[in-house]
Amino acid sequence: MAEETESTKTEPLKTAEEEFKKLEITEEEESELKLETSDHVTFMVEASIAMKFGAVQQYLEVSPAASASATAIPLHNVASRELILILEYYRMHDWVDAGERDLKEFDERFLKDLNYEELKELLLAANYLNVEKLFNFLTKSIANIIRNKDVEFVRTFFGIDNDYTPEEEAAYREENAWAGVKFV
Amino acid sequence: MNRNRDTSLPQTLPEELIEEILLRLPVKSILHFKCVCKSWFSLISNPRFVKSHFDVAAAPTHRLLTFGKGHEVNSIDIDAALDDDSGKVVFNTPIPSRTLKYGGRICIVGSCRGLIFLKSNINFVIWNPSTGFHKRIHYNELMYPQLCGFGYDSSTDDYVVVVVTLPHERTAMVDCFSTRTNSWSASEGTIPYYYCDHHEFRYGEFLNGALHWLVRSYDHLHVIIAFDARERTLSEIPVPRDLATAFEYEIYPLKVIGGCLCFCFMNYRTTMLEMWMMKEYKVHSSWTKSFLLPIRHDSFVSIFYPLCFTKNGEILGTDGGKVLAKFNHKGQLLEHSTHDCKDRFVLEPCRMYRESLLSLPEEDFFHFHVVIQGRSPLQHILQLCGQKSNTLKPTRSLFIREEEVRLGDRERINTMSKSRNLLDRLDIDLEKIHLPVFAAQQNLCLMKNRSINSEIHARTLWEKIESLYVSKCGNNKLFLLNYIVSLKFKERTSLLDHLNEFQGIIDQMSGMGIKFEDEILGLLLLNSLPDSWETFKVSITNSTPNGVVSLQMVKGSVLNKEMRRKAQGGEVRKRKEKRVEVNPSLDTRMWSVTTVTKQGIYRSIVSCGKRRTKAKRASQKRRMMIVSLLLQ
């Protein structure tokens, strides 16, 4: 099913790619790379996008043969679900000639569709793939989610156990009381 | 598989990702999240994190400080609505109250990277209102009036406090305090200047690594003088002709607004407030008139002194009294608020600052020659290594010889009285700083050593010194031998730590070429156990084949025994602790020990009183025996 959504998403872009190819005939060969996710789904990804991933770059540096051969580049820590999202994000930001407003709208929609757990999974995947733009976008978004929340919310958000004694916690709260004024 | 993990438990993120997220939060949220858990606390307190949080500047927040009652200052979020009290916080300044009692008043001289420089009479304080960090600076020769300011030298990560004296018809004198060296240095300008009339003009504005003041030149024209925090030199920035000769107007102090130097004055001829900005730093042609505000004397804003831009591009300013007002760039009044500050003008102490978590960087104490009395540096290093803390605190036993105290390249202290002052200061600070300071009496050249002088961080300095001193000389070997023989495990401390320390010394010795047989190592370890372990020692030595112990065996059984002791539970231990409580000076265990070896446990405790001296002698003998074994 994952592959289906992938192929439908690529459809309009394929034409753009072909146009691009007409302009630069020399780069014909390195058009697609094979990526394999942790749940063993194989993606054919345009090289120009795949090369934006630090992890893919690194892999190709170590074994340059992979770009030419049909062997898939394994992405051990990324599930297909996340890779689809990441590709979607990068298509929007790097391929389509989108205006600033479109991008902002897209970002908002993109965030809306994710729950907190998915957001964290995606951040882990982005970190593993070493994709800077998305990584910055996600960390910033998570920071925005927690910035005006109270400590309890943050603990549940990140799954952190409180290892303070109540006295210690009270003391620290007292110390930075001014910072907590606005929080409810 | 991935999905299942999601639904069962919230995904936890590794620390480096948590850090990336926290870096993008505003100061206020970060401080609030200190009490999420301990690891967050230590992450947030880490100076490296604090610095990158400032540098990333993903969510910089600017606030305005104005004075309240007594010690209090109000901190106002400049982007919030002026009548919105939730954006207002009250802080207590760290100025001692006794200075205020005698009519002193607090002035906010400057702000730089979230640190505020406060002045009250002769008290200079650098203060971070967000974290509460503060440090006092001593300055004795405060003459009135002077220009002062607070800046930052990014090349050396050093904060500077600058005091400029303009003596009548003589060249300017500059005193500059570096927080790195914790010392003042003096320099002299080349041209005389005159003060502008009001004392608000005396507070410097920091921009582009330099402090700026508006003064009058020798021919009485307005001119900006800039003190470069890195070069430590004064230079002049001319202002447009109209401004230089604007004497019939009311001139306001220099401000940095929107990242540019700004010069404001009230043009009485046109009844307009004019704001001139130097759009490009030190480019004379870039001075532009960028904001005009018609002033009507019948309106409540009869004076307007711009302070800063808000996020939305509005201009926040004050009327020089108690009113703060916001205008848009077309000169329309958006909102205003009146502040309650007793007999003070808002104008004078208003100061914008960017919130940060920064403190002052550690001082470079290796600028001083410090002598450790009666001990070799190696001994000291080992003692501190034994404490195995990351925060290597110099102990009180550090003794600083007066004649050895010399400042670094920038200044020399010649007079005895000054060095006495310095010593007093050092003495206070030594407790606070986490920087190991060492110099051997016989190695005074150490500090002149370039390789050490260029080190900034305590840890690297530490390693350098260690490599210098942990050498293979005979004295060091003797010291290590003595150290390992007298090493004792203390009750109720971690046994593992003790074993690690023991192994550490052995490793160090083998590094020097001293190798022990396995049996001796085992005996040494046994020797390091306290007297309360005497039964254990005896049973170990007796149970060995041929009477030969090995290190591995001793280690194993020591750990076993400790486990058993722990497993036996609290009751036994409680009783022991109780006994100690009754008479803490009594070392009951030691007595039980000697008698155990000869007669049995229970009787010895009863009859211990008389055997005290004997017991001591016995254990000493045992130790002596091992030593002699070693020396063979």
Side-chain angles (χ1 to χ4, degrees):
Chain A
M1 189 205 131
E3 274 168 315
E4 258 176 52
T5 44
E6 161 71 2
S7 58
T8 49
K9 286 258 161 63
T10 24
E11 213 53 74
L13 292 164
K14 274 278 165 60
T15 55
E17 194 192 6
E18 274 158 22
E19 278 178 30
F20 184 74
K21 270 185 196 163
K22 274 177 209 160
L23 293 172
E24 290 189 40
I25 312 154
T26 43
E27 287 185 28
E28 219 170 335
E29 295 117 66
E30 47 134 42
S31 57
E32 282 192 335
L33 282 173
K34 221 179 196 181
L35 304 180
E36 193 183 335
T37 54
S38 61
D39 45 356
H40 307 296
V41 181
T42 316
F43 287 80
M44 296 301 289
V45 181
E46 298 86 341
S48 56
I49 288 188
M51 288 305 281
K52 289 232 154 53
F53 302 167
V56 174
Q57 273 176 32
Q58 224 172 11
Y59 187 89
L60 290 181
E61 265 166 39
V62 177
S63 50
S67 61
S69 71
T71 51
I73 300 168
L75 305 171
H76 299 298
N77 291 1
V78 184
S80 55
R81 208 164 46 87
E82 274 105 42
L83 189 61
I84 290 169
L85 285 169
I86 292 170
L87 289 174
E88 193 184 326
Y89 183 86
Y90 268 82
R91 290 235 169 76
M92 191 65 191
H93 277 256
D94 285 343
W95 266 79
V96 183
D97 192 19
E100 212 166 278
R101 244 184 64 202
D102 292 338
L103 283 183
K104 214 177 161 191
E105 246 171 56
F106 171 81
D107 285 352
E108 272 169 26
R109 217 161 359 99
F110 189 78
L111 273 185
K112 228 183 201 172
D113 293 343
L114 298 168
N115 64 30
Y116 293 158
E117 289 309 313
E118 285 166 340
L119 200 57
K120 283 187 285 179
E121 290 284 351
L122 197 56
L123 179 65
L124 283 170
N127 184 43
Y128 171 78
L129 281 181
N130 192 4
V131 282
E132 206 186 330
K133 200 169 179 182
L134 179 65
F135 182 79
N136 286 341
F137 171 67
L138 290 173
T139 45
K140 183 87 198 150
S141 309
I142 294 178
N144 279 337
I145 290 171
I146 63 170
R147 65 183 286 172
N148 283 325
K149 299 293 196 302
D150 67 351
V151 172
E152 259 332 301
F153 176 89
V154 175
R155 281 189 196 134
T156 39
F157 186 94
F158 291 107
I160 293 169
D161 295 325
N162 179 14
D163 52 0
Y164 282 122
T165 62
E167 293 83 29
E168 280 175 328
E169 193 182 332
Y172 285 129
R173 273 179 196 267
E174 177 72 18
E175 194 180 299
N176 297 304
W178 74 269
V181 172
K182 249 176 111 176
F183 301 95
V184 191
Chain B
M1 195 182 85
N2 225 330
R3 284 300 309 164
N4 293 346
R5 199 174 54 196
D6 288 1
T7 46
S8 58
L9 266 174
Q11 173 83 39
T12 53
L13 297 176
E15 186 154 328
E16 65 263 24
L17 292 188
I18 296 272
E19 184 175 339
E20 287 290 336
I21 294 167
L22 288 181
L23 279 176
R24 289 164 172 80
L25 282 171
V27 168
K28 200 170 153 159
S29 308
I30 291 184
L31 287 172
H32 183 58
F33 293 155
K34 265 191 171 181
C35 48
V36 166
C37 66
K38 283 177 184 167
S39 63
W40 279 41
F41 182 87
S42 58
L43 172 67
I44 291 166
S45 314
N46 186 340
R48 192 181 47 80
F49 171 82
V50 166
K51 202 152 183 293
S52 44
H53 176 259
F54 185 85
D55 294 338
V56 167
T61 44
H62 294 90
R63 301 180 78 89
L64 188 75
L65 273 191
T66 63
F67 267 93
K69 301 170 204 122
H71 277 129
E72 287 172 2
V73 286
N74 303 316
S75 173
I76 301 160
D77 184 353
I78 60 163
D79 295 318
L82 287 176
D83 51 1
D84 179 9
D85 270 351
S86 65
K88 189 174 136 184
V89 182
V90 178
F91 292 114
N92 281 322
T93 53
I95 298 265
S97 54
R98 71 190 138 80
T99 52
L100 295 180
K101 238 183 243 168
Y102 301 116
R105 29 193 292 143
I106 306 170
C107 306
I108 308 170
V109 175
S111 77
C112 181
R113 296 163 63 91
L115 294 165
I116 311 285
F117 179 49
L118 299 169
K119 192 186 91 174
S120 104
N121 293 347
I122 57 159
N123 275 297
F124 283 11
V125 180
I126 295 169
W127 174 48
N128 185 334
S130 310
T131 61
F133 165 87
H134 63 272
K135 182 192 162 73
R136 277 181 67 182
I137 291 170
H138 297 253
Y139 186 66
N140 295 330
E141 301 136 53
L142 195 72
M143 288 189 300
Y144 197 76
Q146 280 165 321
L147 308 176
C148 46
F150 179 54
Y152 176 70
D153 173 8
S154 57
S155 65
T156 52
D157 188 24
D158 188 5
Y159 292 85
V160 290
V161 170
V162 181
V163 177
V164 184
T165 317
L166 304 178
H168 189 65
E169 305 214 329
R170 289 216 317 269
T171 53
M173 316 268 288
V174 184
D175 283 317
C176 178
F177 181 88
S178 149
T179 52
R180 273 275 181 203
T181 58
N182 201 22
S183 63
W184 287 91
S185 61
S187 59
E188 210 166 310
T190 47
I191 320 171
Y193 296 102
Y194 298 104
Y195 299 107
C196 282
D197 301 326
H198 295 292
H199 67 273
E200 293 95 61
F201 287 93
R202 304 208 174 104
Y203 303 147
E205 282 288 314
F206 185 72
L207 180 71
N208 272 13
L211 277 157
H212 302 83
W213 295 270
L214 187 67
V215 292
R216 295 223 302 261
S217 67
Y218 198 66
D219 44 1
H220 296 280
L221 297 174
H222 289 124
V223 68
I224 293 170
I225 53 170
F227 179 79
D228 191 304
R230 184 175 172 182
E231 306 291 332
R232 313 265 157 118
T233 49
L234 268 186
S235 61
E236 224 174 76
I237 301 175
V239 294
R241 187 80 198 155
D242 287 4
L243 307 182
T245 55
F247 298 121
E248 66 266 41
Y249 311 135
E250 182 167 346
I251 293 169
Y252 298 129
L254 209 60
K255 274 275 163 200
V256 171
I257 300 179
C260 303
L261 276 178
C262 278
F263 185 105
C264 301
F265 62 91
M266 182 80 90
N267 189 335
Y268 288 125
R269 253 181 298 179
T270 56
T271 62
M272 288 278 220
L273 172 102
E274 294 186 15
M275 184 168 113
W276 291 66
M277 292 174 97
M278 186 167 64
K279 296 273 187 189
E280 277 174 72
Y281 187 64
K282 283 199 174 172
V283 177
H284 189 69
S285 57
S286 72
W287 278 103
T288 40
K289 204 193 282 185
S290 48
F291 179 66
L292 285 171
L293 182 70
I295 299 294
R296 289 195 312 269
H297 283 279
D298 52 333
S299 79
F300 88 99
V301 187
S302 56
I303 300 170
F304 184 73
Y305 172 47
L307 294 169
C308 55
F309 284 135
T310 65
K311 222 190 292 178
N312 307 328
E314 302 141 0
I315 297 179
L316 178 69
T318 161
D319 73 335
K322 295 173 180 180
V323 177
L324 282 175
K326 259 183 202 171
F327 284 87
N328 66 11
H329 66 281
K330 286 177 192 152
Q332 289 164 318
L333 179 67
L334 298 173
E335 54 172 340
H336 66 91
S337 69
T338 311
H339 280 260
D340 168 40
C341 46
K342 244 198 283 171
D343 61 76
R344 264 189 188 272
F345 290 108
V346 177
L347 173 68
E348 172 210 332
C350 261
R351 182 63 61 167
M352 220 212 6
Y353 71 101
R354 183 184 145 188
E355 279 184 296
S356 84
L357 300 162
L358 291 164
S359 304
L360 292 177
E362 281 180 15
E363 287 161 23
D364 297 345
F365 265 86
F366 51 89
H367 277 279
F368 303 97
H369 297 293
V370 180
V371 178
I372 304 141
Q373 195 182 28
R375 309 190 68 179
S376 88
L378 175 77
Q379 287 168 358
H380 229 96
I381 289 170
L382 277 169
Q383 196 194 352
L384 289 173
C385 283
Q387 288 167 3
K388 52 175 284 183
S389 54
N390 291 328
T391 56
L392 297 156
K393 287 183 189 165
T395 54
R396 292 287 289 171
S397 61
L398 279 181
F399 172 71
I400 304 148
R401 279 228 316 227
E402 215 163 90
E403 62 269 31
E404 308 295 351
V405 176
R406 294 271 190 282
L407 285 173
D409 308 67
R410 286 197 187 126
E411 194 195 353
R412 266 174 186 278
I413 291 188
N414 298 319
T415 59
M416 219 47 177
S417 63
K418 268 198 178 174
S419 67
R420 163 69 66 190
N421 262 341
L422 192 74
L423 275 175
D424 290 344
R425 224 149 65 208
L426 260 180
D427 204 35
I428 301 161
D429 288 327
L430 269 177
E431 287 179 301
K432 286 189 224 150
I433 59 154
H434 295 171
L435 186 64
V437 192
F438 290 102
Q441 221 155 344
Q442 63 270 40
N443 266 320
L444 286 176
C445 57
L446 169 71
M447 293 306 164
K448 286 173 200 146
N449 190 332
R450 277 276 137 214
S451 68
I452 283 205
N453 237 339
S454 58
E455 296 302 331
I456 306 232
H457 298 292
R459 182 147 285 281
T460 41
L461 175 71
W462 176 261
E463 280 158 8
K464 274 262 153 65
I465 294 173
E466 206 173 26
S467 70
L468 267 176
Y469 281 107
V470 185
S471 62
K472 294 183 183 179
C473 72
N475 186 28
N476 291 349
K477 288 180 188 171
L478 186 66
F479 172 75
L480 280 174
L481 196 66
N482 184 24
Y483 193 81
I484 197 156
V485 171
S486 55
L487 182 72
K488 273 272 174 261
F489 170 61
K490 290 188 191 71
E491 292 283 342
R492 279 185 224 98
T493 57
S494 160
L495 186 70
L496 270 178
D497 281 355
H498 174 72
L499 289 178
N500 282 339
E501 193 182 354
F502 180 84
Q503 196 56 49
I505 300 168
I506 296 294
D507 290 347
Q508 223 159 2
M509 289 176 88
S510 69
M512 288 180 178
I514 304 178
K515 296 262 172 4
F516 290 115
E517 278 173 33
D518 202 37
E519 184 186 1
I520 295 183
L521 288 178
L523 287 174
L524 276 171
L525 183 56
L526 277 181
N527 177 52
S528 74
L529 296 173
D531 295 334
S532 59
W533 289 60
E534 202 68 38
T535 17
F536 169 78
K537 288 187 201 171
V538 173
S539 69
I540 283 282
T541 41
N542 288 343
S543 66
T544 52
N546 327 325
V548 177
V549 294
S550 73
L551 181 62
Q552 208 48 48
M553 190 187 104
V554 176
K555 258 192 192 169
S557 22
V558 165
L559 284 170
N560 250 337
K561 159 135 188 188
E562 182 70 5
M563 292 256 282
R564 257 182 284 127
R565 269 161 73 116
K566 275 186 185 152
Q568 268 172 12
E571 214 183 303
V572 182
R573 221 178 301 149
K574 251 184 217 160
R575 219 186 294 147
K576 274 183 189 164
E577 278 165 18
K578 240 182 205 165
R579 209 179 289 151
V580 176
E581 269 167 34
V582 173
N583 191 348
S585 69
L586 227 63
D587 193 355
T588 41
R589 282 187 199 90
M590 192 177 72
W591 303 342
S592 68
V593 167
T594 20
T595 32
V596 161
T597 54
K598 288 162 191 167
Q599 290 147 27
I601 304 167
Y602 304 104
R603 226 200 267 164
S604 70
I605 291 170
V606 181
S607 61
C608 55
K610 287 173 191 168
R611 290 175 187 270
R612 183 172 192 173
T613 48
K614 201 176 175 187
K616 245 188 188 165
R617 215 175 296 139
S619 66
Q620 265 170 4
K621 237 184 215 165
R622 183 170 293 272
R623 212 180 297 157
M624 289 303 289
M625 193 187 75
I626 294 174
V627 172
S628 60
L629 231 170
L630 276 172
L631 296 176
Q632 270 169 14

